[in-house]
Amino acid sequence: MAETARLRQGPVVPRVESALRAMLAERRWRPGERLPNEVALAAELGVGRSSVREAVRLLAHDGLLEVRHGSGTYAARTPAPDAEGGIRRLLRRARLREVYEVRRALEVEAARLAAGRVRPEDIGRLRDDLTRRQERAGGDPAAFVDADLAFHRTVVELSGNAVLLGLFTSVLPVLREALVEMVRYEAALPDVSDAHAGLLDALARGDADAAIAATVSHLGAVMELIEKEVAAP
């Protein structure tokens, strides 16, 4: 099938999701009808079973599929032609942009304050956090995001501003969810390891301007990618 060839380009799971969504829209399986099992779908689409499983999970979350444990996966409803998938992806991207706008506002100020308040013993803690982040890069998306956010939360904590820390902590669940999704599915994520190392170095030197610049650099690189995706048709 033509869609199978397209599955080989770009992140696999979103393309499996798109292929299954198209099949549902074409009423290949009517509501209440059971889909082939993971093995059969993976073979047809030329992907691994884990990719099919994750795509099914996403479609079940949207109410298009129903997973009945011990029985199989069933079509729940037919998606609206063409528009539904694109609208959902656009909402995801727009939501992520809003989260990053809030994140930038909080972390830039946190970096500025932390540069003037950090103690020598705090640098060792930050270095350990950064090492854990780097060790998890390229591995499990959730583990990497947790390590990344632990590093940034430490920076916010070292700002010495309890209100700022409270605000950052309140947005962490939304931020984590969005970041895990982005790391899992986005193939073109920029490498911001150098900016993280630059932030640590700036804090160790007590250089507020450099700490701000490093924070803007690593968040700005990701925001630029997000902006392009939101603007894309």
Side-chain angles (χ1 to χ4, degrees):
M1 57 186 288
E3 184 67 28
T4 304
R6 291 197 291 274
L7 287 175
R8 299 193 182 101
Q9 303 172 15
V12 176
V13 173
R15 294 185 179 276
V16 175
E17 179 191 357
S18 178
L20 293 177
R21 189 182 293 274
M23 293 176 190
L24 290 166
E26 294 164 2
R27 300 184 71 80
R28 178 167 174 179
W29 307 290
R30 296 180 181 277
E33 187 176 350
R34 186 182 180 211
L35 274 66
N37 61 30
E38 284 180 3
V39 175
L41 287 172
E44 179 177 350
L45 296 172
V47 299
R49 291 177 59 184
S50 61
S51 297
V52 171
R53 188 179 307 116
E54 182 64 15
V56 166
R57 186 190 69 79
L58 292 170
L59 292 171
H61 179 74
D62 286 349
L64 298 180
L65 295 177
E66 180 186 356
V67 179
R68 303 176 191 173
H69 296 290
S71 177
T73 301
Y74 294 78
R77 63 182 176 87
T78 301
D82 300 323
E84 185 172 322
I87 290 173
R88 187 167 60 85
R89 284 190 294 273
L90 179 61
L91 289 174
R92 281 181 184 173
R93 293 168 181 170
R95 179 169 175 263
L96 183 55
R97 176 177 61 183
E98 291 178 351
V99 169
Y100 254 76
E101 287 171 349
V102 172
R103 181 182 185 185
R104 179 173 58 184
L106 294 175
E107 291 197 35
V108 166
E109 181 62 12
R112 184 186 72 81
L113 292 173
R117 297 173 178 175
V118 69
R119 301 166 301 175
E121 58 266 33
D122 297 326
I123 299 303
R125 178 183 169 194
L126 279 171
R127 187 171 288 112
D128 289 343
D129 285 346
L130 186 56
T131 297
R132 280 189 289 272
R133 177 194 184 275
Q134 301 304 88
E135 289 174 345
R136 287 163 176 73
D140 175 67
F144 170 71
V145 168
D146 286 341
D148 177 70
L149 290 176
F151 171 79
H152 291 287
R153 190 187 186 282
T154 298
V155 174
V156 178
E157 183 178 333
L158 294 177
S159 73
N161 187 308
V163 175
L164 196 61
L165 179 60
L167 290 171
F168 184 78
T169 301
S170 70
V171 303
L172 268 180
V174 176
L175 180 58
R176 181 187 185 277
E177 179 184 354
L179 285 174
V180 169
E181 181 175 280
M182 183 171 64
V183 172
R184 179 170 285 135
Y185 300 131
E186 179 55 61
L189 280 177
D191 184 356
V192 292
S193 298
D194 287 346
H196 282 75
L199 174 57
L200 176 58
D201 181 65
L203 292 175
R205 292 184 285 109
D207 189 334
D209 289 339
I212 290 171
T215 302
V216 170
S217 175
H218 97 262
L219 293 179
V222 179
M223 288 188 72
E224 182 178 350
L225 175 64
I226 296 168
E227 290 289 351
K228 289 179 180 177
E229 291 189 339
V230 171

